[in-house]
Amino acid sequence: MQGLKIKIPKTAELEQPTSAEIVASIDDLLIQILLHLPITSLLYFKTVSKHWLSLITNPKFSILCHPNPNPAIGLFLPSYVLKPKFDYVHFNSQNLTKPPFKKLKFTKDPSGITILQSCNGLLLCCSNRIRQPINYYVYNPTTKHYTTLPKSFLGTENSNIHGLSLAFDPIKSPRYKVICIRNSVSSPEHYQIEIYSSETGPWRLSGGPFIADVNFSKGVYWNGSIHWISTIGNLNSLCYNIDLESLGVIPMPPVPDNYVSVTISYFGESCDHLHLIQISNPQIQFDVYEMKRDYSEWFVKYKVDLHPIASAFPMMTNTYLDPFEIDYYNFAILSLVRGRREEDAFMVLGIPGDCKAIRYNLVSKSYEKLCDDEVGDEQVWFFSAAGVFEYIESLCCV
């Protein structure tokens, strides 16, 4: 019987993995490559395989992709006709990218959807109606993913909601919490706090009824706490520590002796810095305050003089009024953004006329137009009253 002959291939003839296959099999190397890609490419590459999806959606990858600080790259400006829509202003006038959205249509809501707050890449949104039932959502405009918040067990006609605030810090945790301030059912003329956690689930009460005199509709998350202030009248403040679930009072900046009346023109957070601007109208020279992390005091971080901008854009001045009248200058401070470098800090102004927004560098004092759309006086007032919302790119899950 003739023996069976078996040909054993030489080593060179064996199928060798390609360079691409070698790279794809080493997670650390693959992650380093993915970190150099723009967000739009990462969103596409999530569909390559389940393995790539798990890498890109991992919270640790999101932190690596957007290291702290992660400054905002644009603003959503609300514009209401019948249903809410949003204009978009990119902070880089040379990078006219497509807006993330013009209308929020991630789910069908008959009245449309509006934004309540922007927090480190996530948007807290709600139905655009006054009467119940109102739906609340947390939406990531980068990934287009959202979640609908559950109904509160305190949701009755006698327990009106005065404000919701989102607390989210991707450096600390991929989870977020929502703080709701509503009327107390047990104590008339008092408030009650409810908390929703994306990690633990349903709404629950936090603490007992309390009294306060602040604007709960404009909460700002910073340093592990939600902060509220009164924007007119007596300047009061309140903060709520998320981890300790405790309320406290924060000091307010001193009012200069030459200020007759004070208006809080800006209160917000950027790149882990809390800022406040108070102006005595009509003034276009003012200080930008920053809060110390231990809450010991506000200190002057920047000094601002907008006279050069008022000269360059005459529509910023109501020349038919007396220069000492409150409404002589017409502008709104839309945003204050800290960059990865100190010299990158800038402020965004809304003024009427042939431009929607002005970028004013707080260090070099230079300025530039961000867009050329015409804006009316009433829109500038509306931006100041209703607020605008920062866009921060994020891959975080909701």
Side-chain angles (χ1 to χ4, degrees), residues 122-190:
L122 301 184
L123 300 179
L124 179 61
C125 307
C126 74
S127 307
N128 183 44
R129 54 177 173 264
I130 299 176
R131 295 183 178 180
Q132 301 288 346
I134 297 177
N135 296 318
Y136 294 93
Y137 313 94
V138 176
Y139 177 59
N140 185 328
T142 304
T143 64
K144 312 299 183 186
H145 294 163
Y146 78 98
T147 187
T148 303
L149 298 181
K151 301 296 182 182
S152 163
F153 68 90
L154 285 183
T156 66
E157 294 183 358
N158 297 324
S159 182
N160 295 328
I161 292 177
H162 294 272
L164 274 82
S165 298
L166 181 62
F168 174 59
D169 185 350
I171 302 298
K172 293 182 178 179
S173 170
R175 308 296 182 179
Y176 59 85
K177 292 182 179 180
V178 181
I179 311 303
C180 176
I181 308 294
R182 61 194 317 150
N183 286 345
S184 170
V185 176
S186 60
S187 301
E189 300 182 1
H190 284 64

Side-chain angles (χ1 to χ4, degrees), residues 116-303:
L116 297 176
Q117 180 194 357
S118 171
C119 184
N120 291 319
L122 301 184
L123 300 179
L124 179 61
C125 307
C126 74
S127 307
N128 183 44
R129 54 177 173 264
I130 299 176
R131 295 183 178 180
Q132 301 288 346
I134 297 177
N135 296 318
Y136 294 93
Y137 313 94
V138 176
Y139 177 59
N140 185 328
T142 304
T143 64
K144 312 299 183 186
H145 294 163
Y146 78 98
T147 187
T148 303
L149 298 181
K151 301 296 182 182
S152 163
F153 68 90
L154 285 183
T156 66
E157 294 183 358
N158 297 324
S159 182
N160 295 328
I161 292 177
H162 294 272
L164 274 82
S165 298
L166 181 62
F168 174 59
D169 185 350
I171 302 298
K172 293 182 178 179
S173 170
R175 308 296 182 179
Y176 59 85
K177 292 182 179 180
V178 181
I179 311 303
C180 176
I181 308 294
R182 61 194 317 150
N183 286 345
S184 170
V185 176
S186 60
S187 301
E189 300 182 1
H190 284 64
Y191 298 106
Q192 177 66 58
I193 294 178
E194 275 190 293
I195 297 181
Y196 169 80
S197 169
S198 63
E199 182 177 16
T200 58
W203 291 94
R204 62 178 177 82
L205 294 179
S206 173
F210 65 97
I211 298 175
D213 182 21
V214 295
N215 183 2
F216 286 115
S217 67
K218 296 183 181 295
V220 176
Y221 177 67
W222 173 73
N223 200 23
S225 299
I226 299 290
H227 304 78
W228 303 277
I229 59 172
S230 56
T231 53
I232 57 175
N234 295 326
L235 300 182
N236 299 313
S237 64
L238 194 68
C239 65
Y240 176 77
N241 187 291
I242 302 297
D243 294 331
L244 300 178
E245 297 191 21
S246 60
L247 286 166
V249 176
I250 59 175
M252 295 296 288
V255 178
D257 294 335
N258 61 332
Y259 277 27
V260 177
S261 62
V262 174
T263 300
I264 301 298
S265 299
Y266 179 80
F267 180 57
E269 179 272 347
S270 178
C271 294
D272 205 25
H273 300 274
L274 186 67
H275 303 105
L276 183 146
I277 298 174
Q278 58 184 16
I279 297 178
S280 177
N281 294 325
Q283 291 284 341
I284 51 175
Q285 291 177 296
F286 50 85
D287 296 331
V288 176
Y289 288 93
E290 181 177 343
M291 172 60 79
K292 288 187 176 181
R293 187 160 292 275
D294 62 0
Y295 293 99
S296 59
E297 66 171 340
W298 294 91
F299 63 94
V300 176
K301 180 63 179 179
Y302 306 105
K303 288 188 171 293

Side-chain angles (χ1 to χ4, degrees), residues 14 25 64 89 96 105 119 218 231 244 280 283 315 353 363-364 374 386:
L14 293 173
S25 66
L64 291 173
V89 174
L96 301 179
K105 299 185 290 186
C119 184
K218 296 183 181 295
T231 53
L244 300 178
S280 177
Q283 291 284 341
M315 290 290 289
V363 178
S364 67
E374 185 173 343

Side-chain angles (χ1 to χ4, degrees), residues 34 36 52 100 174 182 205 207-208 232 259 273 281-282 361 381 396 398:
L34 293 174
H36 288 80
W52 282 38
R182 61 194 317 150
L205 294 179
I232 57 175
Y259 277 27
H273 300 274
N281 294 325
N361 188 289
W381 175 88
C396 293
V398 295

Side-chain angles (χ1 to χ4, degrees), residues 24 29 58-59 75 100 206 345:
L29 182 56
N58 189 301
L75 281 180
S206 173

Side-chain angles (χ1 to χ4, degrees), residues 310-370:
S311 299
F313 299 94
M315 290 290 289
M316 183 176 166
T317 305
N318 294 321
T319 54
Y320 59 88
L321 296 176
D322 187 283
F324 294 100
E325 291 194 35
I326 291 177
D327 297 326
Y328 183 71
Y329 293 108
N330 189 5
F331 70 98
I333 301 172
L334 304 181
S335 183
L336 194 156
V337 181
R338 299 284 287 268
R340 293 190 173 96
R341 302 178 305 171
E342 180 61 34
E343 58 267 30
D344 294 334
F346 63 91
M347 190 166 60
V348 181
L349 304 173
I351 62 174
D354 63 349
C355 63
K356 183 163 296 182
I358 299 291
R359 174 171 171 158
Y360 172 83
N361 188 289
L362 291 163
V363 178
S364 67
K365 312 302 180 184
S366 60
Y367 58 89
E368 63 172 326
K369 292 199 300 184
L370 291 179

